[in-house]
Amino acid sequence: MDTIADREPSLAVEGPVATLTLCRPSQHNRIAPEDCTVIDGLLARAASTQGVRVLVITGTGDKTFSSGYTLGAILDQLDSRFEDMLDRLERFALPTVCAMNGSIYGGATDLALCCDLRIGVRGSRMLMPASRFGLHYYPGGLRRYVGTLGLATAKKLFMTARAISDEEMLRVGFLSELVEPAALRSTVDSYVQDLLACAPGVLATIKSDLMDTAYCTAIPEVLRAHYQESLASPELAQRLVAMGVGKAVS
């Protein structure tokens, strides 16, 4: 079997789907400090590519999605680049699906939490070891852990640094779905097709409003405006007509 050489993250675009791949398999797809800038550029490229409507993030190989940020760089290179990149991913305008091809550790768990959907494979596990080596986590990561998984689960993961199994990842809401490794691609494709079937404008506003509501930063007037705009949109009328509801707009 050919060995895949380690390299920086890459982006492939196929029709309406852009796939960002972490590409350091011999190092469990770790995220190097310089990868933060690369990933930012790939996100910008995906967002600006005409016709792209969904972003999938995955790793190379079949063992580990990612081992997180390079441990040797924590003392002198864990600057704002990593957190800023994750904040931008969290607020990425398009729907994002994390195709977790294996286990996930450290900062990669936060990268996955930035995605809208997370599909994991059986036999994988999750670990947040920051407290074990004396790192107090940055605010954005704490917000995502508590906002997505709840306070009790966040306390367990951060304060014990214990690994959890695939089934517990699903139970606590870290995973949207858990599948056999052979079914990962088809399951991700199925979710992508569901996302593509939805109105893209509504997906963008509903994603933003859901996060703002979860993080208690929502502005009621903005949420109301998004609702009213959708009610008045030609797309709503056209989609209802296509479903056999309502009358065609002349």
Side-chain angles (χ1 to χ4, degrees), residues 26-200:
S26 76
Q27 303 169 69
H28 298 279
N29 295 321
R30 68 175 176 84
I31 302 169
E34 59 271 20
D35 289 341
C36 300
T37 302
V38 173
I39 292 173
D40 270 335
L42 297 179
L43 292 177
R45 178 180 152 200
S48 63
T49 300
Q50 186 174 6
V52 169
R53 290 183 50 199
V54 177
L55 175 69
V56 175
I57 300 181
T58 193
T60 304
D62 58 4
K63 298 297 182 184
T64 310
F65 167 69
S66 176
S67 57
Y69 196 78
T70 304
L71 289 180
I74 285 179
L75 286 178
D76 57 358
Q77 296 186 67
L78 184 53
D79 49 38
S80 64
R81 286 177 296 173
F82 186 61
E83 187 173 0
D84 290 347
M85 177 269 290
L86 293 179
D87 286 344
R88 281 187 282 272
L89 173 59
E90 181 183 30
R91 289 290 178 173
F92 192 66
L94 300 176
T96 51
V97 181
C98 185
M100 287 173 43
N101 52 296
S103 295
I104 185 167
Y105 308 100
T109 64
D110 192 20
L111 185 148
L113 287 174
C114 290
C115 296
D116 302 315
L117 300 166
R118 292 167 296 281
I119 316 301
V121 294
R122 294 195 180 278
S124 60
R125 66 175 195 160
M126 169 191 176
L127 174 66
M128 170 43 74
S131 298
R132 187 172 296 168
F133 51 76
L135 176 67
H136 185 291
Y137 225 62
Y138 50 85
L142 296 179
R143 171 175 52 78
R144 279 182 285 270
Y145 259 81
V146 175
T148 304
L149 307 179
L151 179 58
T153 297
K155 281 184 174 181
K156 174 181 177 178
L157 293 170
F158 273 104
M159 297 179 70
T160 69
R162 294 180 64 176
I164 63 173
S165 68
D166 51 3
E167 291 288 351
E168 188 168 2
M169 289 159 66
L170 179 66
R171 181 182 63 79
V172 301
F174 184 80
L175 293 179
S176 307
E177 190 162 339
L178 177 63
V179 300
E180 295 295 334
L184 178 62
R185 181 167 183 174
S186 62
T187 303
V188 170
D189 288 345
S190 176
Y191 273 92
V192 166
Q193 292 307 310
D194 288 340
L195 290 166
L196 292 175
C198 295

